[in-house]
Amino acid sequence: MERIVVALGGNALERSGGDGSWAQAVVQMREAARGLASAVREGAELILTHGNGPQVGVLLRQNELAEREVPPRPVDVLVAESQGQIGYLIGQELEAALARERSPRTVLNFPSRMVVDAKDPAFQSPSKPVGRFYSEAEANLLRKSRGWAMSRDAARGGWRRLLPSPRPLRWLEAEAFLDWMARRKPASTVPIVAGGGGIPVLDRGQGRCEGVEAVIDKDYAAALVARTVAAPRLAILTDVPGVAVGFHRTWERWLGSVSASELREFHSRGEFSVGSMGPKVEAALEFLNAGGREALICDTTSLPRALRGQAGTRVRPG
Amino acid sequence: MERIVVALGGNALERSGGDGSWAQAVVQMREAARGLASAVREGAELILTHGNGPQVGVLLRQNELAEREVPPRPVDVLVAESQGQIGYLIGQELEAALARERSPRTVLNFPSRMVVDAKDPAFQSPSKPVGRFYSEAEANLLRKSRGWAMSRDAARGGWRRLLPSPRPLRWLEAEAFLDWMARRKPASTVPIVAGGGGIPVLDRGQGRCEGVEAVIDKDYAAALVARTVAAPRLAILTDVPGVAVGFHRTWERWLGSVSASELREFHSRGEFSVGSMGPKVEAALEFLNAGGREALICDTTSLPRALRGQAGTRVRPG
């Protein structure tokens, strides 16, 4: 069995423009589960991770909307909640799909924390807009009273809180997880790890970690997980067919098989957007740089074909 | 090392009458962690589980208060979120306390699902009041539009949703967990399982489980976990020193060492309240009946003394 770390996008689980209902998330995950289950049937040993952008945004909005009656919880706690929520969704749908493929497995969710550096430049310049929209007056007040960074969303007409997005440095549960991986019965379980990029914590020394209000990009976390478990392949699933140069321009061109150096060259020319394809490309390059054999970027349903070299963008070292 | 299943009460984690802030929950868990860490230092192999009554109530309230802007999620999903939330809290504080006791461990959270029976009588008579308060007119509307069971809380002047509380029948992750327990490195990890009583699901056959809007009593889930892992002892932690007969009466008497048959006798006389001490006593009796050696009911901080027979109510078989 070939070990593959698969990163499911938070947007791949929650279609933008949908009604945001749980029923819709279930339908969408059911679709994603089919591809994952085929890959397992075809012999892949999957280690799953997932994003949580839309979901942690919803949790934060609920906290903000209800805050007159219920004290809001810090963002690291909401990330922990999103791990419980999304892990449950993936587990239910993936187990059903695996049973249909006659490859029954128990899906085990391993909520995970990631140590980040208090000196990470991301803390000086928060960049991820999250939660509800505020008026300009409210935004100014929140800046002063809570020290929040706020940014104006011109298109949607309002102000939102900005969260820092530091790099994950160390996966706290890694040793325990590797111990489990080495000893578990093969072909009986599919693990989920480092959901939502992991809960961001600062290492305060003497065994004490402290949560910090931030969100970690799941693509960087996935690359760290893939290196940790020594997976030859990393697949980053999203809602587009792969990596394109000239994305949404008349000269748009989808990349099939590509070398790391070619991809790096495109990236240095600014081909990939900062909050979206950029981190995926960087995570793929980071993974290959650390000895990975192949990085895939493809849409959720075409994973089995991408693994066979027939879909998505496939990045090779060199 | 002696294996002990420890059930932390949701109320033991969140002090009633407090401000409901996260900071307060942290302080309270820090206190609880000291007792758990001493027990580990003294040689106990802990398997933790926990309630989620107050926490799932808060999540439901936030869902209800924000529902004009954000579609609410089903209760089973909120239970999953509470597992992520509380597992993170326990992990952070317990790891720090264990490091102070020079017994460092990684705390691993295993989110868990429990199969319940669609024919469980609890579904015919929901009994757990949860979430926000409604007016009588709103309550009548919700009864009709959503089929909710509603009950009036005379003391607090309002109506609340009632959820069914079915018995847990089967722990879906049990086999995978036992496999992990059998193979893990000893003395390196403390697992958390079946948080909040487990996520309630119905087994639809052919590998498909479906979430159901219910809450499982964590005491019954703890007894099931203790039987599954063949623990000789089960400790149910709460915010009172133990089991009392004539609780809050002039003839109140705290029970120290007591036999299962004595305790059963008190229970049959209606000594223990339905939603609170009743389930703890029943879970203790169930556990002893299935071959357990000792069941403890005590307050959170006196666990180490209770394990040495010096505090709490200690129930022996027979």
Side-chain angles (χ1 to χ4, degrees), chain B residues 28-148:
Chain B
Q28 192 134 347
M29 183 60 220
R30 198 161 292 172
E31 208 176 293
R34 274 202 293 271
L36 297 173
S38 313
V40 170
R41 185 177 42 75
E42 292 177 17
E45 181 199 3
L46 298 188
I47 295 167
L48 298 179
T49 182
H50 62 83
N52 69 348
Q55 294 81 5
V56 91
V58 163
L59 291 170
L60 195 60
R61 267 181 80 196
Q62 288 182 321
N63 269 265
E64 291 172 317
L65 290 166
E67 79 175 326
R68 281 186 200 180
E69 297 195 33
V70 181
R73 295 176 298 286
V75 171
D76 53 309
V77 178
L78 303 184
V79 173
E81 293 170 16
S82 78
Q83 290 185 339
Q85 177 200 110
I86 303 169
Y88 168 53
L89 174 63
I90 295 175
Q92 292 277 96
E93 295 307 321
L94 183 53
E95 284 180 3
L98 286 163
R100 273 197 310 274
E101 295 275 357
R102 300 183 190 282
S103 310
R105 302 276 193 287
T106 300
V107 177
L108 269 192
N109 186 12
F110 290 85
S112 309
R113 294 161 294 170
M114 288 281 176
V115 175
V116 300
D117 186 351
K119 297 199 191 77
D120 192 304
F123 288 107
Q124 295 308 312
S125 47
S127 61
K128 292 267 182 190
V130 287
R132 57 165 286 205
F133 286 81
Y134 294 97
S135 70
E136 186 161 359
E138 288 170 319
N140 285 331
L141 201 66
L142 288 165
R143 252 195 213 109
K144 277 176 215 153
S145 62
R146 302 191 190 171
W148 288 3

Side-chain angles (χ1 to χ4, degrees), chain A residues 59 61-63 73 76 81 85 88 92-93 95 109 111 113 179-180 183 185 208-209 211, chain B residues 59 62-63 69 73 76-77 81 85 88 92-93 95 109 111 113 179-180 183 185 208-209 211:
Chain A
L59 291 169
R61 267 181 81 195
Q62 288 182 323
N63 269 265
R73 294 177 298 286
D76 52 310
E81 292 170 15
Q85 177 200 110
Y88 169 52
Q92 292 277 95
E93 296 307 321
E95 284 180 4
N109 186 11
R113 293 161 294 170
D179 183 47
W180 175 78
R183 292 151 190 261
K185 272 185 210 148
R208 170 163 291 282
C209 283
Chain B
L59 291 170
Q62 288 182 321
N63 269 265
E69 297 195 33
R73 295 176 298 286
D76 53 309
V77 178
E81 293 170 16
Q85 177 200 110
Y88 168 53
Q92 292 277 96
E93 295 307 321
E95 284 180 3
N109 186 12
R113 294 161 294 170
D179 183 48
W180 175 78
R183 291 153 191 261
K185 274 188 209 144
R208 170 164 291 283
C209 282

Side-chain angles (χ1 to χ4, degrees), chain B residues 6-16 24-33 36 49-55 86 89-90 218-219 236-240 280 298-302:
Chain B
V6 176
L8 289 159
N11 285 315
L13 299 179
E14 196 143 316
R15 195 175 280 125
S16 57
Q24 193 199 43
V26 168
V27 168
Q28 192 134 347
M29 183 60 220
R30 198 161 292 172
E31 208 176 293
L36 297 173
T49 182
H50 62 83
N52 69 348
Q55 294 81 5
I86 303 169
L89 174 63
I90 295 175
K218 71 103 180 39
D219 300 312
I236 299 177
L237 307 190
T238 180
D239 47 6
V240 292
K280 290 174 185 49
C298 63
D299 64 26
T300 306
T301 48
S302 56

Side-chain angles (χ1 to χ4, degrees), chain A residues 35-55:
Chain A
L36 297 173
S38 312
V40 170
R41 185 177 41 76
E42 292 177 16
E45 181 199 5
L46 299 188
I47 295 167
L48 298 179
T49 182
H50 61 82
N52 69 349
Q55 294 82 4

